Amino acid sequence: MKFSFLLGLVAVLATAPGFADPLDRQTLAPGHAGLVFQLAAPGSYQLPVIQAAADGEVLTSDNRPKRLHDLMGDKLVLLSFIYAACSDSNGCPLATQVLQKIGRQLQKQPELADKLRLITLSFNPTQDTPDMMRHYGAGFNAGQFDWRFLTTRDEAALQPILDGYQQSVQKILDEQGRFSGTYSHLLRVYLIDKDKKVRNIYNVDSLHADTVLNDVKTLLTLAKPTRAAQTVDDERLYRAGDDKQGYRQANYQTDSLALEQRRGKSADLLAFALKPPLGLPKLPVPKDNPLTPAKIALGRKLFFDRRLSLNDTFSCAICHIPEQGFANNEMATAVGVEGRSVRRNAPSLYNVGYAQLLFHDGRENTLEQQAWGPLLAHNEMANPSIGYVIDKIKTAADYSGLFEAAFGKAPTMETIGQALASYQRTLNSADSPFDRWYFGKRSDALDESAKRGFALFTGKAGCSNCHSVGEKSALFTDQKRHNTGIGYTESMQKAPDTQHVQVAPGVFVDVDSRHLSGVRREKPNDLGYYEISQNPADRWAYKTPSLRNVALSAPYMHDGSLATLEEVVRFYNRGGVANDNLAPAMRPLALTDGEVNELVAFLKALTGANVGRLVSDAFAAPVGDALAR
């Protein structure tokens, strides 16, 4: 369904009348018209579980109290939130119209009619009383199929339901601050299975009677899977299943594992900090934030907690994915809450405790301080204030006593940063094949191709000028900033008239850039550390990242513009991109194709032996969400 819908969405973007004109008052949503693409066959795709369906106290149209869950379990459920007075054609009326179209189809397909229940729930209990909802529903001939029209006793009963479905609803006030009778809200309709699990969430762009019915048939077609016990080797279990390598080819296949198989095991994280693996030096730890098991466990809990974002949907781990190198293999640049674009790539967090410069431009120098950047950034976790985050944690029952045990006091701006920093300082990974050969003096630990690659790394290619290697340890970074020309290229190139958009493996569509400008913000320019220092010499300067575990953290560079290690080596082989501030060390390297391959082989030999244990520990971490409050 996602594949088909993406094709359809691009077709709508490219052809919808008036779409390119931002002055058009309103473009009707796809749900008002016929489909412009071919639906996939029911049962030919999966609808994974998204979340548990929330419960709450509701009132039926004959004024009887019920639990929302009482109307689930015996049938599939399509749940929409509306208010009867809504006049936005792409809002509540669209949801009701689509459900009415589905109802008509149910009358023609009785085999479906007794397997699907439609529920329309008002979020305006003051005006939409049970009697009002009864009259509202009477206009849709709902008696011929199962369509329930519900409301709640009051706003206090309604709010937990809205929170459970992450349904944001805000009253619009007039100039005197009085409720105008209208609401601002995001249209969402939820498809819920018999196990009371949400299987799809439709918004204004994806809600269409035909696609919804196709999904209903898919859920009815697919029998509940009975997975036989499957033995999965550790190497596959703890690596990315969908790292997008080869995604440009039509024969790309994901190698993801079912969540049930990703069972983790807690590790002694403190040991990785107190005694770092072979190849790493002693870990620097601030005197005012010594590591303790309580701090590490608390920081780990915070790191995976989605409640630390504005709308309870986004955790640190959503950008820094453990099985994807604590980075994100699937996107060149990160995406924050509500799909807000971030202009830079999500960097790996392996060995981040050794970093003297944090963020790609190196604008912070301690993990304690760095933590608050993503928490407050509008396009990342989007919290409106420091106090907002602190109050959230203070009122969460599962955090009761944890800060007191770790720090001797309640959560504060300081202790939240210290806890997150404590966990990140344990993500130390080394003892790679290179380490066992170079520092462990085991001649058989590294293959000959990688050995030749290391000779190039420290010799002809000159990589070690910036990615330094010591006698007893190696961080593979000089802890400095350099201009390689990547940022300059991105800043100076003219935006093309059309953009080659990939919508599925091997499937690309050329879309007019004007059409895309209507659905996304223009990408802001990125001048590197100059934005912090205001020194022209710092234009397009970014920090030197460590190369440890670099094979796990594609795509590469601050903007994710290079997809593979081979592309990275070939970029440096060309000498980068000339500009006034290009780093002096940047020069053409004259490497042969064979030497490029040998350098790549060396870089792939920098993956630490304990990666699986760190990822397994992450799989065992609790995942905080709105239902845990």
Side-chain angles (χ1 to χ4, degrees):
M1 192 279 289
K2 293 179 180 177
F3 170 81
S4 299
F5 172 67
L6 282 169
L7 286 175
L9 177 57
V10 171
V12 170
L13 289 176
T15 64
F19 180 82
D21 184 0
L23 297 178
D24 280 356
R25 291 190 176 181
Q26 187 171 39
T27 299
L28 287 179
H32 289 291
L35 283 180
V36 295
F37 60 93
Q38 181 69 37
L39 285 168
S44 65
Y45 56 92
Q46 299 277 342
L47 289 170
V49 172
I50 297 175
Q51 66 179 66
D55 193 15
E57 189 77 31
V58 296
L59 293 175
T60 66
S61 57
D62 54 0
N63 203 21
R64 294 182 182 180
K66 269 189 178 295
R67 301 293 300 178
L68 191 54
H69 272 189
D70 292 342
L71 298 171
M72 301 176 186
D74 59 326
K75 299 181 180 184
L76 301 182
V77 167
L78 198 62
L79 170 65
S80 71
F81 291 87
I82 64 103
Y83 71 107
C86 180
S87 60
D88 179 1
S89 59
N90 285 341
C92 308
L94 170 64
T96 303
Q97 177 186 323
V98 168
L99 265 62
Q100 186 180 26
K101 288 180 179 179
I102 291 171
R104 291 172 184 163
Q105 290 297 317
L106 294 179
Q107 294 178 48
K108 298 176 184 178
Q109 303 176 60
E111 71 279 7
L112 292 180
D114 63 348
K115 297 174 182 175
L116 177 65
R117 175 173 294 125
L118 311 182
I119 296 178
T120 295
L121 174 58
S122 172
F123 51 77
N124 185 5
T126 303
Q127 299 296 325
D128 294 342
T129 62
D131 188 57
M132 177 63 188
M133 293 305 290
R134 180 170 57 82
H135 286 291
Y136 182 78
F140 301 108
N141 297 319
Q144 301 177 41
F145 48 90
D146 193 353
W147 191 353
R148 311 291 180 94
F149 294 85
L150 310 176
T151 187
T152 54
R153 181 183 65 255
D154 51 30
E155 292 180 358
L158 172 68
Q159 195 59 49
I161 301 175
L162 296 180
D163 291 343
Y165 289 96
Q166 290 90 51
Q167 180 72 65
S168 176
V169 175
Q170 294 181 334
K171 291 181 177 180
I172 297 177
L173 306 181
D174 61 20
E175 295 178 353
Q176 286 73 43
R178 297 171 300 191
F179 176 41
S180 65
T182 58
Y183 292 84
S184 172
H185 70 100
L186 295 175
L187 173 66
R188 284 178 177 169
V189 177
Y190 303 80
L191 178 60
I192 301 167
D193 66 18
K194 290 184 179 181
D195 293 323
K196 303 176 184 177
K197 305 293 185 184
V198 176
R199 303 297 286 271
N200 211 345
I201 304 175
Y202 308 95
N203 61 18
V204 66
D205 293 315
S206 60
L207 182 62
H208 194 287
D210 293 346
T211 56
V212 173
L213 280 173
N214 213 58
D215 289 350
V216 168
K217 292 175 183 177
T218 290
L219 289 183
L220 294 173
T221 300
L222 298 175
K224 183 180 291 187
T226 54
R227 292 190 179 91
Q230 181 181 358
T231 301
V232 180
D233 61 272
D234 284 353
E235 182 180 355
R236 182 181 174 215
L237 182 61
Y238 300 129
R239 65 175 169 79
D242 202 8
D243 60 9
K244 295 297 188 289
Q245 296 295 306
Y247 194 66
R248 297 176 67 85
Q249 280 70 51
N251 62 352
Y252 174 82
Q253 289 187 340
T254 181
D255 195 26
S256 296
L257 293 176
L259 288 176
E260 289 84 349
Q261 293 175 289
R262 291 198 180 278
R263 298 298 181 189
K265 181 180 179 181
S266 296
D268 181 3
L269 296 178
L270 183 58
F272 293 135
L274 297 180
K275 188 178 180 180
L278 177 67
L280 289 175
K282 180 180 179 181
L283 179 71
V285 178
K287 291 182 180 180
D288 62 351
N289 189 25
L291 291 173
T292 68
K295 289 181 186 178
I296 294 168
L298 178 55
R300 175 175 174 259
K301 179 177 174 65
L302 290 166
F303 188 87
F304 291 93
D305 198 331
R306 295 184 293 180
R307 292 171 294 178
L308 265 64
S309 64
L310 173 65
N311 59 2
D312 299 332
T313 63
F314 216 85
S315 70
C316 305
I318 288 180
C319 279
H320 301 283
I321 305 167
E323 68 272 25
Q324 296 186 22
F326 280 91
N328 189 330
N329 302 151
E330 300 180 42
M331 291 184 287
T333 54
V335 173
V337 296
E338 298 179 339
R340 299 172 188 175
S341 297
V342 179
R343 60 182 177 168
R344 293 176 181 168
N345 175 258
S348 173
L349 296 184
Y350 280 125
N351 305 311
V352 71
Y354 294 93
Q356 297 173 15
L357 302 175
L358 297 162
F359 295 107
H360 283 292
D361 54 24
R363 65 183 181 270
E364 291 290 358
N365 52 29
T366 74
L367 285 169
E368 286 79 0
Q369 294 165 184
Q370 178 276 334
W372 283 97
L375 286 168
L376 298 177
H378 174 73
N379 59 348
E380 295 188 52
M381 299 172 83
N383 291 292
S385 69
I386 295 166
Y388 181 84
V389 179
I390 295 172
D391 289 345
K392 258 193 176 182
I393 294 172
K394 283 182 176 180
T395 57
D398 54 319
Y399 280 97
S400 178
L402 296 184
F403 277 85
E404 289 77 3
F407 296 100
K409 56 183 176 181
T412 64
M413 180 183 184
E414 179 186 33
T415 56
I416 292 169
Q418 288 178 326
L420 283 164
S422 295
Y423 170 62
Q424 292 176 77
R425 284 198 176 96
T426 68
L427 300 178
N428 302 317
S429 177
D431 190 20
S432 66
F434 166 78
D435 294 312
R436 294 191 289 274
W437 169 70
Y438 190 76
F439 298 114
K441 309 303 179 184
R442 287 176 45 189
S443 60
D444 62 343
L446 197 65
D447 65 37
E448 294 303 317
S449 177
K451 290 177 183 177
R452 292 192 296 272
F454 178 63
L456 291 164
F457 187 87
T458 55
K460 179 180 179 180
C463 310
S464 60
N465 291 334
C466 297
H467 299 281
S468 49
V469 179
E471 293 184 7
K472 297 182 180 180
S473 62
L475 294 178
F476 291 96
T477 174
D478 60 1
Q479 308 279 14
K480 297 179 181 179
R481 304 177 187 88
H482 302 282
N483 175 339
T484 65
I486 285 280
Y488 170 83
T489 301
E490 178 66 20
S491 294
M492 293 303 177
Q493 67 182 1
K494 180 182 179 294
D497 294 333
T498 61
Q499 296 190 37
H500 204 48
V501 178
Q502 182 172 3
V503 296
V507 180
F508 296 83
V509 177
D510 289 323
V511 181
D512 191 311
S513 294
R514 293 174 302 169
H515 293 177
L516 291 174
S517 67
V519 294
R520 71 179 185 190
R521 294 174 55 192
E522 184 176 348
K523 185 177 180 180
N525 207 349
D526 191 336
L527 297 175
Y529 189 59
Y530 167 78
E531 296 177 6
I532 308 302
S533 70
Q534 298 296 297
N535 182 346
D538 291 327
R539 287 176 297 167
W540 309 298
Y542 301 92
K543 75 168 188 175
T544 305
S546 171
L547 297 182
R548 287 196 172 276
N549 302 292
V550 69
L552 305 178
S553 59
Y556 303 103
M557 316 308 278
H558 74 278
D559 59 353
S561 57
L562 302 180
T564 66
L565 286 173
E566 181 180 347
E567 288 183 31
V568 173
V569 175
R570 292 191 182 281
F571 169 79
Y572 283 104
N573 195 29
R574 295 191 296 270
V577 179
N579 66 87
D580 290 345
N581 293 334
L582 186 68
M586 295 296 294
R587 56 179 175 78
L589 305 178
L591 299 175
T592 67
D593 287 346
E595 289 172 330
V596 168
N597 293 334
E598 288 168 349
L599 260 177
V600 171
F602 164 68
L603 294 172
K604 289 181 177 179
L606 298 179
T607 301
N610 64 330
V611 163
R613 293 172 66 188
L614 289 171
V615 175
S616 177
D617 176 82
F619 288 166
V623 177
D625 59 30
L627 300 180
R629 282 186 177 178

